[in-house]
Amino acid sequence: MNVTIVDYYSGNVASVINSFKKVGNELNDNIKITLSNDLETIKNSDKLVLPGQGSFTNCINSINKINGLKETLDDFVLNKKKPILGICVGMQMFADYGEEDGGCEGFGWVKGSVKKINLTANTNSGFDPMSGISLTLPHMGWNQVDCWPRNEKSEILCRGFNGNGSHFYFVHSYIFKTEDSKNVLMTSYYAEKFTCAVNKENIFGTQFHPEKSGENGLKLIKNFIEI
């Protein structure tokens, strides 16, 4: 199996590479993990991972600067229907539109938009009575995640987490507001309940960072590889 981590110069992806290689080596010697933006390598992959650091707009612009990359991703995901996992902004780019850094159009693979976390969604001051702390942005650190599998593939990704209240590591100020609740795979809470993982057919994404989430993150990576 060939798993390619898409390289579009979005930031330091060393921890993503290392986490996937660790899981791949433990699962099977025939699992090859590659970091690449070579279009033929991406086309011939069995699965893709789309990481993301920085702002929504900058990540979209970085994708568009690599000639043919967006079209190759569209073909891989929409036509060939092969699995992809977006991480953080990598997931947010699946949306129709993102408001961050002036705003721009996303990939349009999963209906919805990316908006800033509303710290006063349930309070006037940003003080969260549930945790007893004043909320700030970015939302950074460990938070509980609840999993809501919708189909056979998402059951595999949620294996070990469904109803478990597992914790993952977050660093973000914007959230993916999906139009269709059927695309919500996992939820968490910070000032407001928010979608922290999406799924539509072969498309998967997490707002949290599995590569920074210890054993739970490695378990999710393993689940994705096994879809």
Side-chain angles (χ1 to χ4, degrees), residues 85-89 91-92 117 139 143-148 157-158 166-172 174-178 183-190 192-199 204-210 220:
L85 175 68
I87 297 173
C88 197
V89 184
M91 177 195 79
Q92 293 180 358
I117 295 172
H139 167 218
N143 207 344
Q144 179 172 311
V145 167
D146 295 306
C147 199
W148 312 96
L157 192 72
C158 286
S166 300
H167 287 71
F168 290 86
Y169 190 83
F170 291 82
V171 184
H172 65 116
Y174 287 77
I175 53 178
F176 192 157
K177 292 183 174 286
T178 60
N183 297 141
V184 177
L185 179 57
M186 299 181 187
T187 56
S188 189
Y189 185 91
Y190 189 75
E192 57 182 313
K193 184 178 179 180
F194 68 92
T195 299
C196 64
V198 298
N199 168 234
F204 299 88
T206 65
Q207 183 61 66
F208 53 81
H209 289 267
L220 185 137

Side-chain angles (χ1 to χ4, degrees), residues 9 15 23 35-36 42 44 49 74 88 92 97 99 109 117 136 141 153 156 162 176 201 203 218 222 224:
Y9 315 115
S15 57
V23 173
L35 175 69
S36 180
I42 292 172
N44 294 321
V49 180
D74 281 340
C88 197
Q92 293 180 358
Y97 188 83
E99 294 183 348
W109 294 346
I117 295 172
T136 59
K153 287 182 179 179
I156 296 174
N162 188 17
F176 192 157
E201 298 176 341
I203 302 168
L218 294 175
K222 176 177 180 289
F224 175 70

Side-chain angles (χ1 to χ4, degrees), residues 8 55-65 70 89 93-94 104-107:
Y8 61 102
S55 77
F56 183 100
T57 300
N58 283 340
C59 286
I60 289 290
N61 289 340
S62 295
I63 293 279
N64 291 333
K65 285 178 182 177
K70 174 56 167 57
V89 184
M93 288 191 291
F94 296 169
C104 72
E105 292 185 357
F107 294 169

